[in-house]
């Protein structure tokens, strides 16, 4: 299905969203970037690029997770104040939504970071 598509397809803003959703390697474009929903693999199993080295800024991901969680909690409080939905409904809606948004935010953050540091390395002519 990915035949005829080079890594150039993952560049640009919509490309980053696609790369984050599918977990595309910045070098070969295979779905090897994540070994768990929000954990970057150490190496690409397809082309062997050192993903751990590209992910050096990943420690900031924890800060991002906390920020997303705080924003969601504030939104949840706002809804509770205005609508007052029953507690079971909030649990049903917010638990999976929070997990999903946090995981996607992490993936987007890490994918953007990895692709940016990969392109920087390319520019420096390595
Ligand atoms: Zn690869």
């Amino acid at each position: 299905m990915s035949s005829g598509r080079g890594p150039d397809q993952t560049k640009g803003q919509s490309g980053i969203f696609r790369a984050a959703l599918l977990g595309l390697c910045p070098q070969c474009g295979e779905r090897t970037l994540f070994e768990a929903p929000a954990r970057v693999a150490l190496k690409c199993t397809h082309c062997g690029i050192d993903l751990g080295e590209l992910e050096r800024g990943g420690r900031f991901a924890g800060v991002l997770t906390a920020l997303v969680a705080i924003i969601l909690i504030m939104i949840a409080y706002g809804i509770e104040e205005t609508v007052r939905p029953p507690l079971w409904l909030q649990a049903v809606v917010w638990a999976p939504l929070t997990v999903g948004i946090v995981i996607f935010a992490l993936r987007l953050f890490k994918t953007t970071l990895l692709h940016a540091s990969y392109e920087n390395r390319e520019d420096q002519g390595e």
Side-chain angles (χ1 to χ4, degrees):
M1 149 182 162
S2 63
S3 62
R5 293 185 163 212
D8 283 349
Q9 294 283 332
T10 60
K11 286 180 183 168
Q13 246 186 354
S14 62
I16 279 295
F17 273 99
R18 189 172 159 269
L21 265 177
L22 301 176
L24 303 179
C25 168
Q27 181 157 274
C28 64
E30 289 293 318
R31 299 185 182 190
T32 52
L33 198 55
F34 295 96
E35 61 181 6
R39 192 166 74 225
V40 173
L42 284 178
K43 262 182 195 285
C44 173
T45 52
H46 188 256
C47 68
I49 187 174
D50 191 343
L51 296 168
E53 191 203 315
L54 289 177
E55 204 214 352
R56 271 173 305 191
R59 62 188 83 107
F60 296 111
V63 178
L64 185 83
T65 313
L67 274 177
V68 171
I70 288 167
I71 290 167
L72 284 174
I73 289 165
M74 281 163 61
I75 293 171
Y77 267 112
I79 289 174
E80 196 182 61
E81 284 300 304
T82 48
V83 185
R84 296 196 177 277
L87 201 62
W88 65 265
L89 185 68
Q90 291 187 51
V92 164
V93 171
W94 285 104
L97 198 66
T98 306
V99 170
I101 288 173
V102 166
I103 286 177
F104 184 71
L106 274 172
R107 285 179 73 111
L108 189 63
F109 178 79
K110 290 184 176 186
T111 304
T112 307
L113 185 92
L114 259 81
H115 281 240
S117 65
Y118 175 73
E119 276 168 33
N120 281 342
R121 214 171 65 162
E122 289 254 289
D123 290 345
Q124 283 159 18
E126 195 176 313

